[in-house]
Amino acid sequence: MNDRRPTTRGFTLIEVLAALMLVAIVLPLLLRGFGGSTDATAASQDQTRALTLAEAILSESVAERTWETGDAEGAFDPARFGSGADRFSWRIESEDWTAAETKQLTAAVTWTRRGRERSVELVTVVAEQEF
């Protein structure tokens, strides 16, 4: 006759509690890491979008020579620049440059992210007279 009892396999209460404690410690750290990388990605996307918008407004100002009428500012129209563009505002400033009959144009684009104002600037030089 066989007097063997079937052995039951499983976890003890201590092992289960230790595993739960480990998960409770590690999980928030992992989630914080994912949250930080998600935020960094969104901030990078905002900055890339702002640079693209600055390039567009600066190019438009140079092509149409609107900088000749003085400094200007405004908000981006989502109908022209795509959805979400109205979160960004722009400013074009012109000032004398070192060479005669040239101006330095600065296009600044600002937006708010997490309660802080952010901005990017692009600069170019233009001739005051058309050739």
Side-chain angles (χ1 to χ4, degrees), residues 1-20:
M1 252 192 171
N2 192 356
D3 284 335
R4 285 186 175 186
R5 283 196 224 173
T7 56
T8 57
R9 298 197 177 239
F11 297 104
T12 66
L13 181 59
I14 298 294
E15 291 171 328
V16 170
L17 290 175
L20 287 175

Side-chain angles (χ1 to χ4, degrees), residues 58 61-62 65-73 90-98 101-108 121-128:
L58 186 60
S61 181
V62 169
R65 300 192 69 83
T66 55
W67 57 270
E68 293 176 324
T69 60
D71 296 348
E73 60 184 69
W90 59 269
R91 180 166 176 73
I92 299 274
E93 296 176 344
S94 64
E95 59 187 88
D96 290 334
W97 199 57
T98 55
E101 298 182 6
T102 57
K103 291 278 189 182
Q104 175 179 303
L105 301 183
T106 302
E121 288 185 353
L122 288 180
V123 179
T124 193
V125 177
V126 294
E128 290 189 80

Side-chain angles (χ1 to χ4, degrees), residues 5-91:
R5 283 196 224 173
T7 56
T8 57
R9 298 197 177 239
F11 297 104
T12 66
L13 181 59
I14 298 294
E15 291 171 328
V16 170
L17 290 175
L20 287 175
M21 177 92 85
L22 182 63
V23 167
I25 292 170
V26 172
L27 190 59
L29 296 175
L30 288 174
L31 292 177
R32 190 175 311 140
F34 288 131
S37 66
T38 301
D39 188 50
T41 299
S44 175
Q45 288 172 340
D46 280 351
Q47 187 168 10
T48 301
R49 180 81 185 271
L51 285 168
T52 302
L53 291 170
E55 182 179 22
I57 204 71
L58 186 60
S59 296
E60 181 179 292
S61 181
V62 169
E64 296 176 4
R65 300 192 69 83
T66 55
W67 57 270
E68 293 176 324
T69 60
D71 296 348
E73 60 184 69
F76 289 97
D77 179 9
R80 279 188 62 208
F81 294 97
S83 130
D86 54 345
R87 294 188 318 114
F88 300 86
S89 60
W90 59 269
R91 180 166 176 73

